[in-house]
């Protein structure tokens, strides 16, 4: 298949894969095929949304992460934690307890990712408010969405707001803060505890950005298990362990990563849409010119946004409820127990951070086109139409492609054979054009010998 | 012989839930053919306007699109009341829409003018009591002599 352009955090372990095709059937960009009894990923089409990860019954899809011991390569070991991590646990698990476990694991500093939203809110609001902008402006927050737009909706690549994510702003801030305190650059390791795979992919191969201030990524489920184990074993929180002495997060900042977290803070008519199928449906409507007069779009690949990230362990609805409750406490000023309001603020380095808020243009790279050359694309399309006439339109997936249309396109691209279709096989067998033994071989090539033993 | 792809869709008069289906399908084809995004956009705008016109005014219709390496040509043919005065219908803001239709956000009298604006060529013929045919063409490359 085509060469890999993206770094993907999702890895398919072929030795574990049982070729059940659940992943193929849920993939919103049709990036998966079955060959030789195994799921195969077409890298160019994958946007790292993680739908496949959620449905795999045998754990054959894993999310690549950095070796945890890598943190000890650095003297200053910063854990960047999203609020969603705190929302994983019921209220009885205190923030200082969570911090204790993180410090116990070896981190020397803990910083909440949401601090980065403070500067972004103003910068984004300003852009959304500017006249002569291509509308609606689309947030660059969710990396799976940025990639989705690149490959499936290239028309909207220029609608994406070219600003860093809160994560990158926070990482840049904390790094600078440590540098200013005398740390050497090579002594600082900034590790993000991620709720999703797309963030990892974005850090390893950023879209529209040169490099990243983030050293490595730790999967949230790994940390979740450490914290839960510690709580279950009855370890008490160390008094000295808490969030850094920072100005506390406002409610709007705390809720930024949840659905409507951005849209409610943007000027004009702003809309929030979560879950990738919903996003695709909406972007298609937009392509059809059926959507007008919207200034800002917050688009998130996961249901309930980051609370529904594939690496979260807690129920996403409870996570949202807890974080909203906590934000209400902050709002009412009743949270003194949780946070101590001490001087330092990300705004102290506002000038430094603002100077590097922008990222490069997001380049469209359509995966829909049948061929670069239009004449060839027309020939291929004619063939797709012809092939579709002999396919059953039931999208059963027995051919190893997710839909009849996907099979027809795979055939014209030379990646598949029409005899992979079980309906076509039956017809050909009936007419004596395909010996039974041969059709069996075709099926084995798709689903593997094992399934026919 | 140059390559060509043709597709045809039926449109029901009065069914706004389905309005936009044909233009959406044509858009998908143009995307697969690697047509310039700006041209796709103009084609979709023009076709969508025409499709909504059929839904709003006619009893039924068909939208036919054929595409070769040079251009996309779309023919929107309907059985309907027809247009008595085409020149007037082409004026921006002229509308015959009922208030019911206007409430749904249609019928601002921009349909035909907007189609013309987005297409390179537009031909319109109509017979009162029978129906209307609109043909639009968009070229993929600017013709040098023009």
């Amino acid at each position: 298949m085509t060469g890999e352009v993206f770094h993907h955090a999702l890895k398919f372990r072929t030795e574990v894969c049982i070729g059940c095709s659940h992943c193929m059937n849920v993939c919103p960009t049709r990036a998966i095929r079955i060959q030789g009894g195994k799921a195969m990923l077409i890298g160019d089409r994958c946007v790292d949304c993680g739908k496949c990860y959620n449905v795999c019954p045998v754990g054959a899809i894993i999310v690549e992460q950095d070796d945890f011991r890598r943190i000890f390569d650095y003297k200053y070991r910063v854990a960047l934690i999203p609020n969603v991590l705190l929302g994983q646990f019921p209220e009885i698990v205190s923030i200082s307890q969570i911090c204790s476990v993180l410090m116990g694991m070896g981190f020397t500093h803990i910083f909440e990712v949401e601090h980065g939203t403070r500067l972004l809110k103003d910068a984004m609001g300003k852009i959304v408010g500017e006249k002569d902008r291509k509308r609606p402006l689309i947030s660059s927050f969710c990396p799976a969405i940025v990639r989705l737009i690149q490959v499936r909706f290239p028309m909207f690549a220029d609608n994406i707001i070219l600003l860093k994510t809160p994560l990158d702003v926070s990482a840049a801030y904390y790094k600078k803060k440590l540098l200013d305190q005398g740390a050497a650059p090579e002594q600082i390791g900034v590790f993000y505890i991620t709720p999703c795979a797309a963030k990892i992919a974005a850090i390893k191969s950023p879209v529209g950005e040169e490099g990243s201030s983030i050293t490595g990524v730790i999967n949230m489920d790994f940390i979740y298990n450490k914290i839960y184990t510690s709580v279950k074993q009855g370890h008490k929180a160390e008094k000295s362990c808490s969030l850094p002495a920072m100005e506390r997060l406002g409610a709007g900042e705390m809720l930024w990563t949840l659905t409507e977290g951005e849209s409610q803070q943007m000027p004009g008519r702003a809309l929030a849409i979560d879950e990738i199928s919903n996003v695709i449906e909406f972007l298609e409507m937009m392509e059809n010119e059926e959507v007008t007069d919207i200034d800002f779009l917050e688009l998130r690949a996961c249901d309930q946004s980051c609370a529904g990230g594939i690496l979260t362990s807690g129920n996403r609805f409870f996570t949202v409820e807890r974080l909203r409750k906590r934000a209400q406490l902050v709002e009412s000023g009743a949270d003194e127990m949780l946070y101590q309001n001490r001087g330092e603020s990300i705004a102290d380095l506002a000038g430094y951070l603002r100077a590097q808020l922008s990222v490069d243009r997001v380049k469209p790279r359509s995966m829909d086109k049948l061929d670069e050359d239009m004449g060839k694309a027309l020939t291929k399309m004619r063939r797709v139409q012809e092939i579709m006439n002999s396919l059953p339109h039931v999208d059963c997936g027995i051919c190893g492609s997710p839909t009849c249309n996907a099979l027809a396109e795979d055939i014209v691209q030379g990646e598949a054979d029409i005899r992979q279709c079980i309906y076509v096989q039956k017809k050909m067998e009936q007419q004596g054009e395909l010996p039974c033994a041969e059709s069996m071989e075709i099926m084995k090539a798709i689903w593997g010998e094992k399934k026919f033993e | 012989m140059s390559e060509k792809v043709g597709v045809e869709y039926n449109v029901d008069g009065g069914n706004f839930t389905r309005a936009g289906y044909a233009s959406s399908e044509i858009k998908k084809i143009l995307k697969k053919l690697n047509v310039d995004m700006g041209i796709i956009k103009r084609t979709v705008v023009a076709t969508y306007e025409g499709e909504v016109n059929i839904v709003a005014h006619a009893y039924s219709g068909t939208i036919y699109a054929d595409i070769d390496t040079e251009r996309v040509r779309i023919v929107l043919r309907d059985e309907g009341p027809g247009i008595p005065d085409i020149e007037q219908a082409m004026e921006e803001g002229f509308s015959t829409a009922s208030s019911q239709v206007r409430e749904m956000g249609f019928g601002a009298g921009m349909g035909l003018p907007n189609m013309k604006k987005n297409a390179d060529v537009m031909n319109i013929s109509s017979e009162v009591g029978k129906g209307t045919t609109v043909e639009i063409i968009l070229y993929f490359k600017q013709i040098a002599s023009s």
Side-chain angles (χ1 to χ4, degrees):
Chain A
M1 304 238 161
T2 36
E4 198 148 323
V5 171
F6 281 158
H7 173 96
H8 291 292
L10 293 162
K11 299 282 177 218
F12 286 51
R13 290 195 293 172
T14 35
E15 71 282 8
V16 181
C17 176
I18 54 165
C20 67
S21 80
H22 294 184
C23 55
M24 176 178 83
N25 294 325
V26 297
C27 176
T29 57
R30 292 185 191 167
I32 300 170
R33 301 290 182 274
I34 309 294
Q35 280 168 13
K38 306 288 175 186
M40 312 290 273
L41 183 69
I42 306 171
D44 283 352
R45 294 192 188 178
C46 171
V47 298
D48 282 288
C49 71
K51 284 260 175 186
C52 53
Y53 177 92
N54 279 339
V55 298
C56 181
V58 293
I61 301 169
I62 52 161
V63 180
E64 170 200 68
Q65 66 180 328
D66 290 301
D67 182 354
F68 186 76
R69 283 165 303 186
R70 257 193 74 201
I71 74 164
F72 296 105
D73 293 347
Y74 303 90
K75 185 177 173 198
Y76 302 94
R77 303 179 286 273
V78 184
L80 281 181
I81 59 165
N83 251 276
V84 165
L85 174 66
L86 307 179
Q88 298 297 297
F89 305 95
E91 285 75 359
I92 48 160
V93 181
S94 69
I95 292 175
S96 53
Q97 193 156 12
I98 293 168
C99 292
S100 287
V101 177
L102 288 169
M103 300 297 251
M105 288 173 77
F107 287 107
T108 56
H109 299 78
I110 298 169
F111 189 58
E112 292 165 285
V113 172
E114 282 78 4
H115 280 286
T117 65
R118 175 165 304 184
L119 299 173
L120 276 172
K121 183 190 157 191
D122 296 339
M124 278 171 67
K126 216 177 123 208
I127 291 172
V128 176
E130 279 171 11
K131 289 198 174 84
D132 311 322
R133 281 279 185 173
K134 197 173 168 193
R135 282 174 201 278
L137 286 143
I138 300 172
S139 167
S140 63
F141 175 83
C142 176
I145 295 297
V146 171
R147 290 185 168 195
L148 177 74
I149 289 173
Q150 279 188 296
V151 302
R152 277 202 59 185
F153 301 95
M155 203 182 270
F156 303 127
D158 288 333
N159 294 53
I160 297 170
I161 297 177
L162 300 178
L163 288 176
K164 278 189 177 153
T165 60
L167 172 62
D168 287 308
V169 178
S170 293
Y173 164 76
Y174 217 84
K175 209 167 183 175
K176 176 73 174 149
K177 185 173 133 107
L178 290 173
L179 287 171
D180 289 350
Q181 287 171 7
E186 65 276 10
Q187 292 179 316
I188 305 170
V190 180
F191 294 86
Y192 175 51
I193 295 169
T194 184
C196 82
K199 294 268 192 216
I200 302 175
I203 288 164
K204 304 287 177 185
S205 67
V207 175
E209 220 187 322
E210 277 306 302
S212 177
S213 305
I214 296 147
T215 318
V217 187
I218 313 289
N219 291 352
M220 191 174 282
D221 54 355
F222 173 77
I223 300 290
Y224 176 89
N225 287 333
K226 294 278 181 199
I227 295 170
Y228 236 99
T229 307
S230 164
V231 170
K232 288 283 171 201
Q233 290 175 354
H235 295 296
K236 292 270 178 293
E238 301 272 341
K239 274 234 169 72
S240 59
C241 287
S242 66
L243 288 165
M246 287 286 292
E247 188 178 356
R248 65 167 186 244
L249 290 172
E253 290 157 357
M254 292 178 77
L255 299 177
W256 187 272
T257 65
L258 301 184
T259 303
E260 294 190 338
E262 294 173 276
S263 69
Q264 290 206 338
Q265 303 189 63
M266 286 301 120
R269 188 168 171 219
L271 214 61
I273 297 159
D274 63 9
E275 205 279 321
I276 194 159
S277 315
N278 294 332
V279 171
I280 290 172
E281 182 192 333
F282 194 85
L283 290 175
E284 281 188 351
M285 251 169 70
M286 237 163 83
E287 264 186 340
N288 301 344
E289 298 290 328
E290 292 170 56
V291 177
T292 48
D293 304 328
I294 291 182
D295 297 298
F296 175 81
L297 277 179
E298 168 198 310
L299 305 175
R300 308 278 178 84
C302 295
D303 181 30
Q304 303 300 316
S305 294
C306 297
I310 61 167
L311 295 171
T312 59
S313 308
N315 177 282
R316 59 191 181 281
F317 301 104
F318 283 132
T319 303
V320 171
E321 187 215 16
R322 287 176 195 131
L323 293 178
R324 290 203 188 285
K325 224 185 247 172
R326 196 167 285 160
Q328 271 173 9
L329 284 178
V330 167
E331 198 106 281
S332 62
D335 72 314
E336 293 302 326
M337 299 285 285
L338 297 174
Y339 286 73
Q340 285 175 5
N341 186 4
R342 277 174 285 174
E344 229 168 302
S345 155
I346 196 163
D348 301 341
L349 290 176
Y352 169 81
L353 294 168
R354 274 202 196 100
Q356 45 169 311
L357 271 187
S358 298
V359 294
D360 291 341
R361 178 170 177 261
V362 175
K363 290 186 195 76
R365 31 177 230 92
S366 163
M367 279 299 126
D368 277 339
K369 60 190 171 208
L370 291 168
D371 204 292
E372 286 290 338
D373 178 87
M374 206 186 148
K376 284 182 188 153
L378 277 163
T379 311
K380 285 179 179 174
M381 176 158 291
R382 276 268 293 274
R383 280 201 60 210
V384 168
Q385 288 178 336
E386 281 161 23
I387 293 165
M388 283 303 283
N389 287 334
S390 34
L391 296 180
H393 295 247
V394 294
D395 297 341
C396 64
I398 302 293
C399 61
S401 294
T403 62
C404 292
N405 196 273
L407 174 66
E409 293 190 6
D410 289 349
I411 294 168
V412 303
Q413 302 293 16
E415 308 278 0
D417 188 308
I418 190 152
R419 294 175 307 168
Q420 287 174 222
C421 171
I422 193 143
Y423 288 78
V424 172
Q425 277 183 16
K426 287 286 158 209
K427 253 192 302 191
M428 290 175 79
E429 280 171 12
Q430 177 88 25
Q431 289 161 3
E433 292 166 3
L434 185 69
C436 219
E438 206 175 316
S439 67
M440 182 54 111
E441 285 313 307
I442 293 168
M443 280 297 140
K444 282 179 180 171
I446 303 165
W447 295 99
E449 299 270 343
K450 245 187 169 174
K451 284 210 170 63
F452 297 93
E453 271 164 15
Chain B
M1 193 199 80
S2 77
E3 276 294 348
K4 202 172 176 178
V5 166
V7 282
E8 193 175 76
Y9 306 94
N10 292 322
V11 182
D12 297 338
N15 188 354
F16 282 94
T17 356
R18 285 267 293 180
Y21 176 77
S23 33
S24 175
E25 291 300 304
I26 292 168
K27 171 203 73 186
K28 285 179 194 161
I29 291 171
L30 295 174
K31 278 177 85 176
K32 288 198 183 289
L33 293 176
N34 199 23
V35 171
D36 172 83
M37 287 183 290
I39 293 165
I40 296 180
K41 191 171 173 161
R42 281 165 50 215
T43 310
V44 171
V45 174
T47 311
Y48 183 65
E49 289 286 9
E51 190 172 355
V52 169
N53 276 348
I54 297 176
V55 174
H57 301 291
Y59 317 123
S60 70
T62 55
I63 295 179
Y64 171 80
D66 73 71
I67 305 147
D68 61 27
T69 50
E70 310 285 317
R71 90 277 179 282
V72 51
R73 173 174 163 268
I74 292 162
V75 181
L76 306 103
R77 187 173 287 123
D78 74 50
E79 287 175 31
I83 304 171
D85 186 341
I86 290 175
E87 219 168 284
Q88 190 185 32
M90 289 301 297
E91 283 170 24
E92 288 192 10
F94 175 78
S95 178
T96 57
S98 64
S99 56
Q100 192 193 350
V101 170
R102 280 171 178 266
E103 268 167 34
M104 294 174 75
F106 301 105
M110 295 302 289
L112 286 172
N114 203 19
M115 284 175 82
K116 193 178 169 68
K117 205 171 80 190
N118 282 286
D120 291 317
V121 173
M122 177 160 127
N123 297 309
I124 183 166
S125 63
S126 188
E127 200 177 325
V128 174
K130 284 222 160 155
T132 303
T133 300
V134 182
E135 178 195 42
I136 51 171
I137 299 172
L138 286 93
Y139 294 102
F140 299 139
K141 285 192 190 103
Q142 293 297 318
I143 298 157
S145 60
S146 74

